[in-house]
């Protein structure tokens, strides 16, 4: 909606365009760090009033220097009501002046924060605004007000925010000014409520997430509800810790000039450690191993910053802890990466909010039944419905709304961060939900979408896959509260699409060695163009880029034709028009990609005028590979354990050069020349990687007659530890018979596999062989089993036989892969027709098929010719897999009598 009120303006045309112009009766509130930031906007507004011969009225009542100089603005009416005379005389004088001036006019008020000082009350400041703002609105006047940001409680801010028509936050760093519209009543655009940079008379939206968080980091965040002012025990502990921190700051300031900087974390005094450990136990973790690591790398000010960004009380959970801890480790152990790591500005919903929600919405006793899955699954669906229709306390909703004001229209993600998640021994990879909020539309719509996202994450605690996982890990009866990590989605705007240049996962130890030049200890990454969801899910027949960090040029694919054929074709992106996450063809989305970004991510197809995703530019023209190796090796060394990270990368361009220069100048450091290929790596997750490192076992050369072989390849795909095992059961899904099945029958096959595995004793090592991708959500790509159905398998083999051109796209980095590694399940890929490869299905035909015996239900009988289950005697079958040379054999041994005998 646009309006043509040419006599109304902020005096800054660029700012007018941002908010679609001013309207009669607009009361504009400026939340500023200091009065000089307000003065700049007041004077532009006043000059426009003079230009248009509009009546200009200035209420001068504060102790700060005047905003308008009478010599520069001789036509301005200056009135001096005295707040010290009391609330009623003051407001009467203001209202009488407005009444006498009649309709219209431009009004300027001194900082309202001084009124709270004069009246010793935020509530009375709010009362003044609630009485004055509507009066000015009725008179169709414009008015400017200022509040010093982070100085007021809800008693002042709530009335102001509810009553004003337009609200701006202003941030300033050195000479750079940034404006963040928080409210513009009856106006809307797709970028209106984003942070805007003011340069050369223009206000340009800052769409890049790295720049948003970096710019906002120049002004220390302070919660609008004054988190540490309430006099309960929680906040008293924070106040005591804050006092300790202030004393430490004084000591460090006094000694920093004479003390050389020390590598690694700063030593902590016993008093500091006492407060640090208490805060860690209160809000971060009670896991002793993680707590020891956190006590080494976190400082009290780190925990105070977390507390200021908390919504509610309790623990922040494993995912949030891992993200924060990894950053603290790199800050202390790899300070040279400081300008590479993207600043984060996350918020944390404490675990107590989850328990409160469960209690007040009647879910507590249902949830307490989760001592075993048999009793819980019967009521879990009902409990999820209750959770999804529940209500939050008003104070929680208010804090979430304030958080949304901070993020503006930047897309955000609500991520699970449960107490047990991402700890040593419990990865919970993909077991709980993470929900994207594109964050578009009115403030009411954005808040409603956020609350729904939180409920979806809460409901996922009672999902079947989460409950089965906890049961399998023996932690079903442990305290498992759901905290939340709410993050700004990393990325930038590309047309109507929002996504990062790179999303992916990294491992400090590489369990997939496809070339002899690869060193497992150097780590591996799996990356995509766009949202990292495509790197961790197996939802379609697309591909990703996998790179061993010591040999990124050694591709699993061979030849340029394979590189093009098996490159990523679709990009996951947030469509801001559709208000949801969507897959988009790279050929379409690349039209909106900046030239530099495209050069880094894609290679030109020599056979045409198109591009395919390769990341060759990123690997060859930037230090990205070296940075990733440093990040992963540093984290593994500190964790004393292999680690698994999720990350994004964004190029920041000229604006990134400016913000980096500002940061370096503020620290007294030399500013480097501007590099437009400058990027920020955002660490969004870090956790221990539950991998058992290979012990160097290689496959002994064996001459096995062809009729003894069930499965073999001289060059395939092996992920996991090299090993030799004796399977007692083989389950084979016929590729030829599975392919033509309809969708319902393919799901029936998956359920049948689950039934077979449930009746398979734990001491019966089982090999699963089937077409396409195990664990896919799309039946056109493979067998849609849930991991809980096959978690007892010793080995899973994917036969590349679903349709022409589909390869397994090694599951490295996906949630499915993490489950395989965590449960130490061997993964094999088999390529029919490849030289040295053999799959002998006739071999299985010589053994009795136990399928009907194990799955007797009538509806499964039609699958008897599709699924074969064969059992073998102890040590009769051998599976030998070599990760170094990427080959394996599954064969039958010769019996003591020298003959082969079928198992009865």
């Amino acid at each position: 909606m646009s309006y043509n009120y040419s006599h109304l303006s902020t005096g800054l045309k660029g700012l007018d365009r941002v908010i679609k112009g001013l309207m009669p009766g607009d009361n504009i509130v400026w939340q500023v760090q200091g009065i000089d930031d307000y003065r700049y906007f007041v004077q532009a507004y006043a000059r426009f009033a003079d230009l248009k011969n509009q009546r200009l009225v200035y209420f001068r009542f504060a102790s700060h220097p005047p905003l308008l100089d009478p010599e520069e603005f001789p036509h301005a009416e200056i009135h001096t009501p005295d707040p010290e005379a009391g609330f009623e005389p003051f407001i009467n004088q203001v209202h009488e002046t407005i009444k006498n001036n009649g309709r219209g006019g431009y009004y300027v008020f001194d900082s309202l924060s001084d009124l709270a000082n004069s009246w010793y009350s935020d509530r009375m400041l709010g009362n003044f605004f609630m009485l004055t703002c509507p009066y000015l609105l009725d008179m169709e006047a414009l008015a400017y007000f200022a509040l010093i940001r982070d100085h007021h409680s809800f008693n002042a801010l709530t009335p102001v925010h509810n009553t004003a028509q337009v609200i701006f936050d202003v941030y300033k760093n050195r000479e750079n000014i940034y404006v963040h519209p928080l409210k513009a009543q009856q106006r809307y655009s797709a970028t209106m409520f984003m942070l805007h940079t003011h340069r050369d008379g223009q206000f340009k939206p800052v769409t890049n997430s790295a720049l948003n968080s970096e710019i906002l980091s120049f002004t220390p965040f302070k919660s609008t509800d004054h988190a540490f002012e309430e006099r309960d025990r929680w906040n008293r502990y924070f106040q005591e810790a804050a006092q300790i921190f202030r004393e430490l700051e004084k000591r460090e300031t006094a000694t920093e000039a004479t003390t050389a900087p020390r590598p690694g974390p700063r030593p902590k005094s016993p008093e500091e450690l006492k407060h640090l450990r208490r805060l860690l136990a209160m809000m971060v973790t009670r896991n002793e191993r993680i707590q020891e690591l956190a006590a080494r790398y976190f400082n009290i000010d780190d925990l105070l910053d977390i507390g200021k960004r908390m919504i509610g009380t309790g623990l922040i959970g494993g995912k949030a802890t891992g993200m924060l801890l990894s950053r603290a480790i790199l800050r202390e152990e790899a300070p040279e990466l400081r300008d590479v790591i993207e600043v984060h500005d996350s918020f944390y919903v404490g675990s107590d909010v989850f328990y409160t929600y469960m209690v007040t919405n009647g879910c507590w006793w249902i949830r307490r039944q989760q001592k075993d899955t048999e009793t819980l699954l019967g009521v879990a669906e009902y409990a999820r419905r209750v959770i999804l229709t529940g209500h939050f306390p008003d104070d929680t909703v208010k804090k979430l709304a304030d958080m949304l004001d901070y993020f503006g229209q930047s897309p955000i993600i609500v991520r699970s961060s449960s107490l047990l998640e991402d700890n040593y021994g419990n990865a919970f990879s993909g077991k709980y939900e993470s929900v994207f909020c594109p964050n578009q539309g009115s403030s009411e719509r954005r808040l409603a979408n956020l609350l729904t996202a939180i409920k979806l994450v809460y409901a996922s605690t009672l999902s079947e896959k989460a409950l089965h996982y906890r049961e399998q890990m023996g932690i079903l009866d442990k305290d498992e509260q759901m905290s939340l990590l709410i993050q700004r989605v990393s990325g930038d705007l590309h047309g109507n699409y929002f996504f990062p240049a790179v999303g992916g996962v990294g491992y400090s130890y590489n369990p997939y060695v496809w070339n002899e030049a690869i060193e497992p200890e150097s780590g591996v990454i799996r990356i995509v163009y766009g949202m990292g969801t495509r790197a961790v899910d197996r939802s379609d027949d697309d591909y990703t880029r996998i790179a061993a960090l010591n040999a990124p040029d050694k591709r699993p694919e061979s030849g340029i034709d394979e590189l093009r054929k098996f490159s990523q074709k679709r990009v996951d992106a947030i469509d801001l028009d559709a208000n949801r996450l969507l897959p988009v063809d790279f050929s379409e989305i690349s039209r909106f990609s900046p030239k530099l970004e495209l050069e880094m991510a894609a290679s030109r197809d020599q056979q045409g005028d198109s591009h395919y995703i390769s990341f060759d530019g990123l690997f060859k023209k930037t230090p990205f590979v070296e940075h990733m190796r440093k990040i992963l090796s540093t984290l593994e060394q500190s964790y004393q354990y292999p680690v698994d990270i999720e990350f994004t990368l964004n190029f920041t361009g000229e604006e990134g050069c400016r913000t980096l220069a500002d940061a370096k100048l503020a620290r007294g450091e030399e500013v480097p020349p501007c590099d437009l290929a400058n990027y920020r790596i955002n660490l969004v997750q870090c956790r221990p990687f539950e991998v058992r490192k290979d012990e160097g076992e290689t496959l002994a050369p064996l001459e096995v007659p062809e009729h003894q072989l069930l499965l073999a390849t001289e060059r395939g795909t092996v992920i996991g530890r090299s090993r030799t095992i004796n399977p007692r059961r083989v389950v084979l899904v016929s590729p030829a018979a599975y392919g033509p099945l309809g969708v319902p029958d393919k799901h029936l096959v998956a359920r049948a596999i689950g039934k077979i595995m449930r009746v398979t004793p734990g001491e019966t090592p089982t090999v699963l062989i089937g077409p396409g991708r195990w664990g896919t959500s799309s039946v056109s790509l493979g067998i849609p089993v849930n991991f809980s159905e096959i978690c007892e398998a010793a080995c899973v083999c994917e036969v590349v036989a679903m349709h022409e051109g589909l390869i397994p796209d090694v599951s490295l980095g996906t949630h499915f892969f993490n489950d395989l590694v965590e449960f130490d399940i061997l993964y094999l890929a088999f390529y029919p027709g490849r030289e040295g490869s053999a799959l002998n299905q006739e071999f299985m035909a010589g053994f009795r098929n136990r399928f009907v015996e194990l799955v007797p239900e009538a509806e499964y009988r039609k699958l008897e010719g599709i699924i074969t289950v064969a059992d073998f005697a102890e040590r009769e079958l051998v599976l030998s897999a070599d990760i170094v040379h990427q080959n394996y054999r599954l064969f039958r041994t010769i019996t003591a009598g020298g003959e082969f005998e079928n198992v009865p």
Side-chain angles (χ1 to χ4, degrees):
M1 184 181 299
S2 62
Y3 301 87
N4 183 22
Y5 298 116
S6 60
H7 64 291
L8 305 179
S9 173
T10 61
L12 299 165
K13 291 182 179 179
L15 187 58
D16 292 342
R17 284 192 286 270
V18 170
I19 60 169
K20 305 295 185 184
L22 292 181
M23 299 167 57
D26 274 348
N27 289 265
I28 300 99
V29 175
W30 298 85
Q31 298 185 148
V32 295
Q33 194 67 24
I35 199 65
D36 286 341
D37 301 344
Y38 179 44
R39 178 178 289 105
Y40 171 80
F41 293 98
V42 164
Q43 294 191 351
Y45 167 82
R47 281 191 289 270
F48 184 85
D50 262 1
L51 179 67
K52 293 293 184 177
N53 296 316
Q54 297 292 308
R55 187 168 50 254
L56 178 62
V57 179
Y58 173 30
F59 287 109
R60 172 77 180 127
F61 52 80
S63 58
H64 59 68
L67 299 170
L68 298 178
D69 185 341
E71 292 186 6
E72 184 178 356
F73 299 97
H75 301 298
E77 295 181 18
I78 301 177
H79 296 266
T80 56
D82 182 10
E84 299 294 339
F87 178 82
E88 189 168 357
F90 180 84
I91 198 169
N92 285 344
Q93 188 174 348
V94 169
H95 284 214
E96 189 67 23
T97 301
I98 297 170
K99 178 182 176 182
N100 291 338
N101 275 287
R103 307 190 73 78
Y106 279 53
Y107 289 84
V108 174
F109 288 76
D110 272 351
S111 170
L112 298 184
S113 296
D114 269 36
L115 295 180
N117 296 335
S118 296
W119 297 332
Y120 305 101
S121 171
D122 270 1
R123 191 175 297 280
M124 293 309 293
L125 185 161
N127 290 339
F128 169 77
F129 195 83
M130 283 195 295
L131 292 171
T132 304
C133 176
Y135 191 42
L136 288 162
L137 176 62
D138 288 342
M139 300 297 286
E140 296 187 335
L142 297 183
Y144 267 30
F145 302 89
L147 287 172
I148 303 302
R149 190 173 50 251
D150 303 329
H151 275 53
H152 300 285
S153 69
F154 282 149
N155 293 330
L157 295 178
T158 299
V160 171
H161 286 195
N162 289 345
T163 313
Q165 284 73 47
V166 179
I167 302 175
F168 293 108
D169 258 351
V170 179
Y171 300 91
K172 190 173 182 183
N173 179 53
R174 296 177 60 80
E175 300 307 314
N176 299 312
I177 296 174
Y178 305 94
V179 174
H180 183 189
L182 300 182
K183 183 179 181 181
Q185 206 168 69
Q186 300 180 35
R187 282 149 281 192
Y188 179 78
S189 76
T191 59
M192 182 180 292
F193 301 111
M194 290 182 174
L195 186 71
H196 288 70
T197 180
H198 177 37
R199 188 162 290 113
D200 300 326
Q202 299 300 313
F203 287 81
K204 183 180 178 182
V206 181
T207 58
N208 186 292
S209 64
L211 295 178
N212 262 288
S213 51
E214 200 163 318
I215 291 166
L216 293 175
S217 72
F218 292 135
T219 302
F221 179 82
K222 187 174 182 182
S223 173
T224 56
D225 67 341
H226 283 219
F228 306 150
E229 286 189 358
E230 300 299 329
R231 296 297 176 182
D232 63 10
R233 188 177 300 275
W234 172 275
N235 292 312
R236 282 205 303 275
Y237 286 153
F238 273 104
Q239 288 175 331
E240 292 171 12
Q243 179 61 35
I244 292 296
F245 174 63
R246 284 192 290 269
E247 292 173 3
L248 285 169
E249 272 191 317
K250 291 178 184 176
R251 289 182 219 155
E252 289 178 3
T253 302
T255 59
E256 63 185 4
T258 57
T259 305
R262 304 166 59 114
R266 173 181 56 77
K268 300 176 178 69
S269 67
E271 184 181 16
E272 183 182 1
L273 274 174
K274 181 187 78 170
H275 288 279
L276 186 68
R277 290 186 181 279
R278 184 165 63 181
L279 290 179
L280 286 171
M282 277 174 54
M283 59 188 288
V284 177
T285 181
R286 290 169 196 155
N287 179 290
E288 291 183 5
R289 195 168 176 183
I290 294 291
Q291 196 176 106
E292 282 301 312
L293 194 58
R296 183 180 178 198
Y297 287 103
F298 281 147
N299 299 318
I300 286 181
D301 58 320
D302 296 323
L303 301 186
L304 293 174
D305 285 342
I306 294 170
K308 292 170 184 175
R309 289 180 171 272
M310 281 193 72
I311 294 170
T313 59
L315 297 167
I316 62 174
K319 191 169 290 180
T321 298
M323 183 272 292
L324 293 166
L325 185 53
S326 64
R327 291 167 175 275
I329 290 170
L330 294 175
R331 177 188 65 198
E332 303 296 344
E333 302 289 1
E336 68 272 21
L337 295 177
R338 176 174 53 190
D339 297 328
V340 173
I341 302 300
E342 181 174 324
V343 176
H344 84 96
D345 53 359
S346 308
F347 286 77
Y348 321 94
V349 179
S351 55
D352 293 350
V353 177
F354 172 69
Y355 267 173
T356 301
Y357 186 85
M358 300 299 281
V359 171
T360 57
N361 288 285
C363 300
W364 174 263
W365 294 113
I366 297 174
R367 187 174 176 275
R368 288 301 301 157
Q369 296 180 45
Q370 60 186 46
K371 297 299 181 183
D372 65 78
T373 53
E374 295 304 318
T375 60
L376 183 58
L377 287 176
V379 296
E381 184 57 38
Y382 168 74
R384 283 196 293 270
R385 286 199 301 270
V386 174
I387 291 172
L388 291 172
T389 57
H391 300 280
F392 289 93
D394 289 344
D395 63 325
T396 299
V397 175
K398 179 66 176 80
K399 292 173 184 177
L400 290 169
D402 284 348
M403 180 196 72
L404 282 182
D405 279 347
Y406 171 85
F407 283 126
Q409 285 170 297
S410 293
I412 59 175
I413 181 171
V414 180
R415 310 187 75 195
S416 66
S417 184
S418 76
L419 267 57
L420 299 177
E421 202 169 353
D422 288 7
N423 282 324
Y424 290 97
N426 307 316
F428 279 89
S429 180
K431 299 301 179 291
Y432 297 135
E433 293 291 337
S434 290
V435 183
F436 287 100
C437 295
N439 209 17
Q440 301 300 296
S442 67
S443 57
E444 293 79 12
R445 182 186 182 190
R446 289 186 282 134
L447 179 59
N449 289 343
L450 171 62
L451 296 177
T452 298
I454 292 173
K455 293 173 186 178
L456 286 169
V457 178
Y458 281 176
S460 70
T461 61
L462 295 174
S463 70
E464 185 173 351
K465 63 181 178 181
L467 294 171
H468 276 306
Y469 177 84
R470 293 179 59 194
E471 184 178 48
Q472 291 150 11
M473 299 302 292
I475 54 176
L476 194 57
D477 60 345
K478 288 196 174 182
D479 186 27
E480 176 63 333
Q481 301 174 52
M482 179 55 74
S483 309
L484 301 172
L485 171 61
I486 302 180
Q487 295 177 294
R488 186 189 301 273
V489 174
S490 183
D492 204 343
L493 202 58
H494 304 68
N496 290 322
Y497 301 110
F498 188 92
F499 60 87
V502 179
V505 294
Y507 298 90
S508 62
Y509 179 82
N510 182 4
Y512 175 31
V513 180
W514 62 86
N515 186 289
E516 292 184 11
I518 292 172
E519 301 168 355
E521 291 76 12
S522 295
V524 63
I525 56 174
R526 173 184 170 102
I527 60 175
V528 295
Y529 186 60
M531 305 294 288
T533 47
R534 187 155 293 268
V536 298
D537 292 334
R538 316 185 86 203
S539 56
D540 60 23
D541 59 352
D542 208 2
Y543 304 99
T544 60
R545 175 70 196 268
I546 297 172
L549 291 176
N550 78 298
D553 58 324
K554 302 295 183 184
R555 302 285 297 265
E557 309 88 351
S558 60
I560 189 65
D561 289 338
E562 278 201 358
L563 296 183
R564 283 196 302 268
K565 183 177 181 180
F566 300 133
S567 66
Q568 180 187 348
K569 305 296 191 303
R570 287 178 288 279
V571 177
D572 281 354
I574 295 176
D575 185 329
L576 298 184
D577 285 345
N579 211 24
R580 62 193 180 101
L581 183 71
L582 292 171
V584 185
D585 287 343
F586 175 64
S587 57
E588 176 188 342
I589 214 165
S590 61
R591 296 185 294 113
F592 304 105
S593 299
K595 181 181 178 182
L596 172 67
E597 188 173 294
L598 202 58
E599 288 176 357
M600 295 294 112
S603 298
R604 183 172 291 278
D605 190 332
Q606 298 300 319
Q607 298 178 353
D609 192 28
S610 61
H611 291 80
Y612 65 93
I613 297 173
S614 66
F615 293 108
D616 286 346
L618 180 67
F619 290 168
K620 295 175 181 178
K621 298 177 182 179
T622 76
F624 170 70
V625 170
E626 290 79 4
H627 286 154
M628 292 307 300
R629 286 189 70 174
K630 181 64 175 179
I631 288 169
L632 289 166
S633 63
T634 301
L635 293 175
E636 176 173 322
Q637 186 174 3
S638 294
Y639 269 84
Q640 298 185 327
Y641 209 84
V643 295
D644 152 17
I645 66 170
E646 290 185 22
F647 66 93
T648 63
L649 178 146
N650 291 291
F651 295 98
T652 53
E654 289 186 24
E655 190 67 33
C657 292
R658 290 192 184 96
T659 56
L660 180 60
D662 288 340
K664 284 187 168 292
L665 287 169
R667 298 193 296 258
E669 299 174 6
E670 185 177 344
V671 178
C674 179
D675 180 2
L676 294 183
N678 190 27
Y679 56 74
R680 304 288 191 276
I681 296 172
N682 188 14
L683 285 176
V684 297
Q685 184 170 322
C686 178
R687 60 188 170 199
F689 179 35
E690 301 299 328
V691 63
R692 302 184 191 181
K693 292 189 175 182
D694 181 42
E695 297 173 354
E697 180 179 353
T698 57
L699 179 63
L702 293 173
E703 294 297 329
V704 180
E706 186 175 329
H707 63 283
Q708 289 179 237
L709 282 173
L710 169 56
L711 185 69
T713 187
E714 293 302 321
R715 194 67 189 171
T717 298
V718 181
I719 298 181
R721 295 179 298 113
S722 296
R723 69 191 82 178
T724 298
I725 59 177
N726 296 110
R728 297 291 303 277
R729 174 169 289 168
V730 175
V731 179
L732 172 65
V733 180
S734 168
Y738 180 80
L741 292 178
V743 171
D745 285 344
K746 285 179 177 175
H747 282 286
L748 198 65
V749 168
R751 303 295 79 76
I753 298 294
K755 286 179 173 290
I756 293 166
M757 294 305 299
R758 278 194 289 275
V759 298
T760 298
E763 64 273 11
T764 305
T766 299
V767 176
L768 300 176
I769 305 172
R773 302 176 183 174
W774 288 87
T776 179
S777 58
S778 174
V779 296
S780 65
L781 304 180
I783 304 173
V785 293
N786 300 316
F787 183 77
S788 61
E789 295 176 306
I790 63 170
C791 64
E792 297 291 339
C795 173
V796 171
C797 177
E798 297 185 341
V799 179
V800 187
M802 280 303 295
H803 61 75
E804 183 180 357
L806 176 69
I807 65 170
D809 180 35
V810 177
S811 61
L812 185 73
T814 64
H815 295 318
F816 178 79
F817 162 79
N818 287 349
D819 286 333
L820 292 178
V821 169
E822 187 170 11
F823 282 77
D824 197 29
I825 299 172
L826 187 66
Y827 169 91
L828 310 174
F830 176 80
Y831 301 81
R834 180 175 287 185
E835 185 178 354
S837 298
L839 172 59
N840 186 358
Q841 297 189 59
E842 287 73 21
F843 177 95
M844 294 286 284
F847 296 85
R848 179 163 61 87
N849 186 357
R850 297 195 61 203
F851 174 73
V852 174
E853 177 185 341
L854 298 175
V855 188
E857 293 86 349
E859 64 266 32
Y860 292 96
R861 290 291 178 91
K862 58 184 175 182
L863 302 180
E864 184 176 4
I866 298 167
I867 302 175
T868 301
V869 184
D871 284 357
F872 298 85
E874 187 177 357
R875 302 183 67 81
E876 182 182 5
L877 205 61
V878 175
L879 172 60
S880 188
D882 180 357
I883 184 176
V884 176
H885 297 99
Q886 290 290 292
N887 55 29
Y888 55 83
R889 292 186 180 92
L890 176 61
F891 60 94
R892 189 181 179 206
T893 60
I894 301 176
T895 64
E899 300 293 334
F900 294 100
E901 297 178 359
N902 290 350
V903 178

